[in-house]
């Protein structure tokens, strides 16, 4: 029930923000990213969601400022999560990992490594690559947990 309420609220927010015409390109695409997720998870329309995500990916393809990088990385990981059988997914998640490494985004890296590991396993690609990415996912999650515990000690 809480998820349904959240999704309804998100839908209203997206509709209100979409009316603005002066949004930066990265923000417009970030909003469309969440719009795609609503299409996929709320309306159960994977095709429309995929179209929106691909439009975002193409729109941001040649933009490299830090705001755009963060949005691109989130969109790439979402795409790989939702469409693990798509030939582009693996490459997009690797690009997301590269961006998140540049941005020092540990939680984002953990999500991307987890997504990549799930993609490799779902495609039955049990290899050193799968093991390496699973280990990276675990290592980063342990670092995040350690960092949180350490910050609690200093309070």
């Amino acid at each position: 029930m809480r998820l349904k309420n959240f999704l309804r609220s998100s839908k209203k927010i997206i509709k209100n923000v979409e009316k603005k015409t002066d949004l930066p390109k990265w923000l417009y695409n970030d909003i469309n990213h969440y719009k795609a997720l609503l299409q996929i998870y709320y309306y159960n329309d994977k095709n429309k969601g995929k179209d929106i995500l691909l439009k975002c990916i193409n729109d941001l393809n040649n933009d490299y400022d830090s705001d755009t990088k963060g949005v691109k990385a989130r969109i790439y990981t979402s795409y790989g999560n939702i469409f693990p059988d798509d030939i582009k997914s693996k490459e997009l998640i690797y690009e997301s990992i590269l961006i998140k490494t540049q941005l020092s985004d540990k939680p984002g890296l953990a999500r991307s490594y987890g997504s990549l590991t799930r993609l490799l396993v779902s495609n039955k690609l049990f290899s050193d690559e799968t093991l390496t990415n699973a280990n990276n996912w675990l290592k980063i999650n342990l670092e995040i947990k350690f960092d949180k515990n350490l910050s609690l000690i200093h309070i």
Side-chain angles (χ1 to χ4, degrees):
M1 186 63 159
R2 287 175 40 185
L3 179 60
K4 286 279 189 191
N5 289 337
F6 171 75
L7 292 172
R8 268 191 224 110
S9 297
S10 298
K11 181 181 162 191
K12 289 177 186 175
I13 291 168
I14 288 170
K15 282 191 179 280
N16 287 334
V17 174
E18 277 183 323
K19 294 174 186 172
K20 299 195 177 293
T21 57
D22 58 342
L23 296 176
K25 188 174 172 180
W26 66 267
L27 181 55
Y28 173 79
N29 282 284
D30 206 15
I31 291 164
N32 278 325
H33 169 225
Y34 292 103
K35 184 177 177 180
L37 296 178
L38 279 171
Q39 285 297 325
I40 293 163
Y41 294 115
Y42 186 73
Y43 296 111
N44 295 314
D45 190 345
K46 272 186 137 180
N47 291 328
K48 189 167 184 181
K50 185 176 187 175
D51 289 344
I52 295 168
L53 288 174
L54 286 171
K55 185 178 180 301
C56 292
I57 290 166
N58 291 331
D59 195 35
L60 295 173
N61 194 32
N62 295 317
D63 290 354
Y64 301 101
D65 64 85
S66 60
D67 289 327
T68 300
K69 282 182 177 182
V71 173
K72 282 169 69 168
R74 285 192 295 280
I75 292 169
Y76 292 177
T77 298
S78 290
Y79 190 89
N81 261 339
I82 299 163
F83 305 103
D85 295 331
D86 189 302
I87 197 161
K88 292 185 269 311
S89 292
K90 184 177 169 184
E91 179 185 330
L92 289 171
I93 294 175
Y94 270 118
E95 180 67 23
S96 176
I97 289 169
L98 179 67
I99 293 168
K100 290 174 180 178
T101 299
Q102 292 170 354
L103 298 175
S104 300
D105 178 5
K106 279 188 183 181
L109 275 169
R111 283 188 293 279
S112 293
Y113 277 119
S115 294
L116 184 56
T117 301
R118 282 188 299 281
L119 180 146
L120 294 169
V121 169
S122 73
N123 289 308
K124 298 183 179 28
L125 299 172
F126 303 105
S127 64
D128 288 341
E129 179 185 18
T130 306
L131 184 58
T132 298
N133 286 298
N135 284 333
N136 286 337
W137 171 82
L138 179 60
K139 178 183 167 202
I140 292 170
N141 274 294
L142 290 172
E143 287 174 9
I144 292 168
K145 184 175 180 170
F146 178 77
D147 290 347
K148 285 181 182 176
N149 288 338
L150 193 59
S151 69
L152 291 174
I153 293 170
H154 293 337
I155 291 179

